Amino acid sequence: MKRTLVRYRNTAFGRFVYRNQKYAPILFFMGGFIFDTLTLGRIDRVYDTVVLCSHMTLLSITLFLYNTVDEDKWEGTFIRRYSEYFPLAIQFFFGALSSAFVIYFFRSVSMSKTLFFFILLVLLLFANEFLKRKISNKYLQFSIYFFISFTFFAFMIPTLIKEMNTFIFIISGLISLGCTLALITFIFRSSPGTRAEISLKKLISLILSIYITINVFYYFNLIPPVPLAMDAGLVAHDVRKINNEYIVTYERNPWYIFWRKHHVTFHRQAGQRVYVFTSVFAPTDLKKSIFHRWKRYNPETGKWEVTDDIDFEVAGGRDRGFRGYTYKNNLREGQWKVEVITEEELILGIVDFEIKNTSQPHKGGMVKRSF
């Protein structure tokens, strides 16, 4: 192994990497994120499941070895010889898992209050790349480990058992908490060096505070309801189902607005319905009732008022998402939004728009699209 490393360092590529090693974390970050983006797709795919479970398992093993490598039992073994690479391995697994969750959460997050949790994940991803020297801090190690572990089980358990609700989220958190505390206790008992370096009570208190914080986030709907994700959501003039395809007609955006499909101003003619169409991704065999909560902004009170909750069920497995729509008649002019929510009132996404009454068709034209 050492000879291989020496030969590698003497190559042109090896010398280039050595000269530019200060940029290596950024390059590996970009490469890892691009790799995950290209290879990870559905959380319920066998490939994705195997990759995530492998990363989580190897992270746990590496964390144990890194914190016990100075013990006499590893003397003369290959584990001791290559222990200098353990921090890099830990950082790699932290980065791989956090980038994967960023990719999955990006599908689920709406531009609403759940965006806060998504930003937190992104910050964790960047922090992992730029805090390499802090990885030896055991409080930081296990804090990040628990956060990633909680996120891992919150994704994986609903996917495996084909069910998602508040009880499952609580169970996922408890399993993560139990696994993390078991690993910490095992390391603490196995390593005199660890016992001398940290206070077990302080570390457990830190883990419990993170556990409580995540549950508070969940209670206040600050966490997207993964593994569900809203693939598409738009306000439309017409929705028709033909041969298991939904033909959606909506107003065309100006050419320079490329980040949103539908026009935010709905030009409504007399007697016309207002449709809201959504496509929701769900893992295979996972069934869930989804609600469209219609809200109108009341300028007199300055508050959003709920007008209707209309439900429909999604069943998982379809790559392009499971589709549904609701509609209303005789809507007043003004600001409207439709929240796409679960039974637990966790927000999948928001479709917001403004209704303006008009006697003429929309001058920008219409788009017909199949979903």
Side-chain angles (χ1 to χ4, degrees):
M1 179 68 178
K2 289 184 177 180
R3 291 178 180 177
T4 302
L5 289 174
V6 170
R7 287 198 299 269
Y8 160 74
R9 288 168 183 166
N10 290 331
T11 64
F13 179 73
R15 291 193 297 271
F16 173 79
V17 171
Y18 181 78
R19 288 196 306 269
N20 298 277
Q21 57 183 317
K22 64 179 180 179
Y23 303 113
I26 298 176
L27 294 176
F28 276 97
F29 159 71
M30 293 174 62
F33 192 85
I34 292 172
F35 177 80
D36 281 349
T37 302
L38 295 176
T39 58
L40 297 180
R42 294 173 56 102
I43 184 67
D44 58 342
R45 285 196 315 173
V46 174
Y47 173 82
D48 291 50
T49 302
V50 170
V51 168
L52 292 178
C53 290
S54 299
H55 284 341
M56 198 69 222
T57 302
L58 291 172
L59 171 61
S60 303
I61 294 172
T62 307
L63 209 59
F64 170 76
L65 293 175
Y66 175 67
N67 286 283
T68 61
V69 72
D70 291 332
E71 306 310 313
D72 293 337
K73 61 183 177 182
W74 302 120
E75 188 66 40
T77 65
F78 77 96
I79 291 176
R80 175 68 68 83
R81 288 197 298 272
Y82 300 112
S83 60
E84 62 182 303
Y85 300 106
F86 288 162
L88 296 176
I90 291 171
Q91 189 192 19
F92 170 80
F93 292 127
F94 278 164
L97 286 164
S98 56
S99 64
F101 296 142
V102 164
I103 292 168
Y104 293 133
F105 267 113
F106 185 75
R107 295 186 64 182
S108 303
V109 73
S110 64
M111 294 303 170
S112 62
K113 56 186 179 181
T114 57
L115 185 63
F116 181 80
F117 191 79
F118 175 73
I119 292 173
L120 189 62
L121 266 176
V122 174
L123 290 176
L124 173 62
L125 180 60
F126 277 93
N128 176 64
E129 297 300 324
F130 297 106
L131 295 178
K132 293 178 67 175
R133 296 181 181 179
K134 300 290 185 180
I135 202 66
S136 60
N137 185 312
K138 290 179 171 50
Y139 295 106
L140 178 64
Q141 274 182 43
F142 290 109
S143 296
I144 297 176
Y145 175 83
F146 174 64
F147 183 83
I148 288 178
S149 172
F150 199 130
T151 309
F152 170 81
F153 284 108
F155 269 101
M156 201 56 61
I157 291 179
T159 301
L160 294 177
I161 68 174
K162 319 300 182 187
E163 188 173 347
M164 192 201 85
N165 52 46
T166 300
F167 177 73
I168 299 301
F169 182 84
I170 293 173
I171 292 298
S172 302
L174 290 174
I175 292 175
S176 172
L177 180 64
C179 291
T180 302
L181 293 180
L183 178 62
I184 290 172
T185 303
F186 189 41
I187 291 174
F188 191 81
R189 291 178 177 177
S190 304
S191 172
T194 299
R195 291 197 294 272
E197 188 175 342
I198 66 170
S199 165
L200 186 59
K201 289 183 178 179
K202 180 180 177 181
L203 180 56
I204 291 177
S205 298
L206 183 59
I207 298 299
L208 290 176
S209 67
I210 296 172
Y211 173 78
I212 293 171
T213 300
I214 294 176
N215 280 276
V216 169
F217 274 35
Y218 184 86
Y219 179 80
F220 287 103
N221 297 336
L222 295 173
I223 298 178
V226 293
L228 296 179
M230 190 174 82
D231 283 339
L234 47 87
V235 59
H237 284 256
D238 187 49
V239 180
R240 297 176 185 269
K241 187 177 181 181
I242 302 175
N243 297 328
N244 203 34
E245 290 290 321
Y246 285 79
I247 309 301
V248 183
T249 304
Y250 56 93
E251 296 184 18
R252 187 189 305 275
N253 261 323
W255 64 269
Y256 52 84
I257 300 179
F258 56 87
W259 60 89
R260 184 178 57 243
K261 294 183 177 67
H262 66 281
H263 202 293
V264 293
T265 301
F266 186 95
H267 298 87
R268 179 180 175 275
Q269 295 178 271
Q272 189 177 31
R273 290 175 173 176
V274 179
Y275 293 82
V276 169
F277 172 86
T278 54
S279 176
V280 176
F281 166 81
T284 304
D285 296 331
L286 190 151
K287 294 184 178 181
K288 193 71 178 172
S289 291
I290 301 297
F291 291 82
H292 280 180
R293 174 166 289 172
W294 290 72
K295 287 185 174 182
R296 176 183 176 272
Y297 181 74
N298 188 332
E300 296 179 0
T301 62
K303 296 181 180 179
W304 288 94
E305 298 175 349
V306 177
T307 62
D308 287 285
D309 279 348
I310 308 174
D311 72 309
F312 59 95
E313 188 176 86
V314 297
R318 186 176 182 272
D319 283 334
R320 293 171 59 193
F322 281 79
R323 303 143 298 170
Y325 68 92
T326 58
Y327 64 86
K328 287 179 65 65
N329 295 299
N330 303 318
L331 295 185
R332 288 186 285 176
E333 283 190 318
Q335 297 288 335
W336 287 81
K337 68 178 178 181
V338 174
E339 294 177 346
V340 186
I341 60 176
T342 66
E343 295 168 288
E344 297 79 22
E345 300 198 356
L346 295 173
I347 298 175
L348 278 164
I350 297 175
V351 181
D352 50 1
F353 52 95
E354 180 182 4
I355 294 179
K356 287 187 177 181
N357 292 332
T358 179
S359 58
Q360 300 294 328
H362 177 49
K363 294 181 180 179
M366 297 288 180
V367 176
K368 278 191 176 183
R369 184 180 171 190
S370 173
F371 288 87

